Amino acid sequence: MIDLERHGVSVTGNGQQAIVFLHGYGCDSDMWRDVVPAFDADYRVISYDLVGYGRSDAALYDPIRYACLQAYAEDLIDILEALKCENVIAVGHSVSAMIIGLAATRRPDLISRLVMVCPSPSFANDEGYEGGFERQELLGLLDILDVNFMGWAQQMAPKIMNAPHRPELSDALTDSFCRTDPDIAKHFAKVTFLQDHREDVKLIKQPTLLLQCHDDILVPPAVRTWMETNMYDAKLQVLDTTGHCPHISAPAPTVAAIHNFLRPAVAA
């Protein structure tokens, strides 16, 4: 039986149907703080920290087990089962969009709908696919992270947030990066940025909202087009905001988009 406390699991809300929120690389569940309260009235709201982040027990982090995203998908399934959930709506940001996708293909009986916030199935360019980066660029990025993780965090966070009019948001993301154990952060970066889950997302049958932003340094427009075209039942919505973290920089439009996507399911 999975230990919910060691994964920093939080459960709030007054509804019957469960909705779970998973954070992205370098973050923790607190990054959903401006989004989660909007769902408390209608849902049983679940959030938790990926192993090695936030309130999770870093001692659980096994680099061999967590060398692929499947292990994180297994954690999600185990947590939902421990909470006796069914018909779950899963919301995942960035790399966690792939985690919820992997869990959904493995357990379609458990997860009924997906919201992928700024997802990318592969960051690397390939023949016929524009992921945004050449593989050598990604390897160079990881080399810099290996040598100077704190410097990398301070340099990258403002670019990822892309909200120059609100520097406090970039500062918060930098702080989140820097709170992470550097060894875990470096290892998870390799898993995150060298992944290729293009074939996996093609297997997702659940209705899926692809929530993207303009001018996202990590996810070019070609990626969102590829996902909408190649997924079985995906709806793309591009928010009128910039950056890679709309749940932080533009929580109200993010909440509205998710509510609009879920409204038919609630009414049913």
Side-chain angles (χ1 to χ4, degrees), residues 48 54 64 70 77 108 150 157 161-162 172 211 234 251 257 259:
Y48 68 93
I64 296 176
Q70 285 288 359
I77 291 169
M150 296 301 179
M161 186 61 66
N162 196 7
L211 206 53
H259 272 312

Side-chain angles (χ1 to χ4, degrees), residues 25-44:
Y25 175 82
C27 300
D28 58 35
S29 57
D30 189 53
M31 294 298 182
W32 293 105
R33 61 185 175 274
D34 293 330
V35 171
V36 162
F39 295 87
D40 278 339
D42 298 315
Y43 297 93
R44 184 187 185 199

Side-chain angles (χ1 to χ4, degrees), residues 12-73:
T12 61
N14 301 307
Q16 294 297 315
Q17 185 174 22
I19 182 169
V20 60
F21 291 87
L22 272 70
H23 63 83
Y25 175 82
C27 300
D28 58 35
S29 57
D30 189 53
M31 294 298 182
W32 293 105
R33 61 185 175 274
D34 293 330
V35 171
V36 162
F39 295 87
D40 278 339
D42 298 315
Y43 297 93
R44 184 187 185 199
V45 181
I46 302 162
S47 60
Y48 68 93
D49 296 310
L50 300 180
V51 172
Y53 290 87
R55 294 181 299 276
S56 71
D57 185 349
L60 293 172
Y61 195 84
D62 177 353
I64 296 176
R65 178 171 190 261
Y66 290 103
C68 67
L69 294 184
Q70 285 288 359
Y72 296 95

Side-chain angles (χ1 to χ4, degrees), residues 121-124 134-139 142 188-197:
S122 177
F123 293 98
E134 295 298 329
R135 183 172 176 84
Q136 285 304 119
E137 288 182 277
L138 293 172
L139 293 174
L142 294 173
F188 191 38
K190 293 180 175 66
V191 177
T192 297
F193 292 110
L194 299 182
Q195 65 175 342
D196 186 349
H197 291 290

Side-chain angles (χ1 to χ4, degrees), residues 41-264:
D42 298 315
Y43 297 93
R44 184 187 185 199
V45 181
I46 302 162
S47 60
Y48 68 93
D49 296 310
L50 300 180
V51 172
Y53 290 87
R55 294 181 299 276
S56 71
D57 185 349
L60 293 172
Y61 195 84
D62 177 353
I64 296 176
R65 178 171 190 261
Y66 290 103
C68 67
L69 294 184
Q70 285 288 359
Y72 296 95
E74 291 169 6
D75 286 346
L76 171 59
I77 291 169
D78 289 345
I79 287 169
L80 296 178
E81 287 185 332
L83 293 172
K84 302 187 184 319
C85 296
E86 57 184 17
N87 192 31
V88 177
I89 299 157
V91 184
H93 171 237
S94 195
V95 65
S96 280
M98 294 303 107
I99 293 172
I100 64 173
L102 292 170
T105 58
R106 183 169 173 178
R107 290 292 305 276
D109 60 312
L110 182 63
I111 298 173
S112 61
R113 285 185 167 232
L114 301 177
V115 178
M116 294 182 163
V117 182
C118 299
S120 175
S122 177
F123 293 98
N125 297 332
D126 196 6
E127 185 176 355
Y129 175 81
E130 182 186 343
F133 302 88
E134 295 298 329
R135 183 172 176 84
Q136 285 304 119
E137 288 182 277
L138 293 172
L139 293 174
L141 181 71
L142 294 173
D143 285 343
I144 295 171
L145 192 151
D146 271 335
V147 173
N148 183 9
F149 173 68
M150 296 301 179
W152 176 90
Q154 292 168 351
Q155 180 183 19
M156 288 300 298
K159 296 178 181 179
I160 292 171
M161 186 61 66
N162 196 7
H165 58 296
R166 296 186 63 190
E168 73 277 9
L169 298 182
S170 296
D171 291 344
L173 187 60
T174 301
D175 290 344
S176 179
F177 283 172
C178 292
R179 284 196 303 270
T180 308
D181 180 303
D183 290 333
I184 293 176
K186 294 172 186 177
H187 185 263
F188 191 38
K190 293 180 175 66
V191 177
T192 297
F193 292 110
L194 299 182
Q195 65 175 342
D196 186 349
H197 291 290
R198 284 176 289 171
E199 294 305 313
D200 295 311
V201 300
K202 292 178 182 179
L203 301 177
I204 298 170
K205 302 300 185 198
Q206 292 91 331
T208 302
L209 173 63
L210 304 174
L211 206 53
Q212 297 281 17
C213 302
H214 295 287
D215 195 18
D216 182 342
I217 190 175
L218 296 179
V219 185
V223 169
R224 63 196 188 211
T225 302
W226 185 94
M227 291 190 71
E228 185 181 31
T229 302
N230 285 275
M231 291 182 67
Y232 179 77
D233 186 6
K235 173 186 176 183
L236 172 65
Q237 181 170 349
V238 180
L239 296 172
D240 188 19
T241 188
T242 58
H244 189 64
C245 305
H247 55 309
I248 302 171
S249 61
T254 300
V255 166
I258 298 174
H259 272 312
N260 288 338
F261 174 67
L262 298 179
R263 190 165 289 125

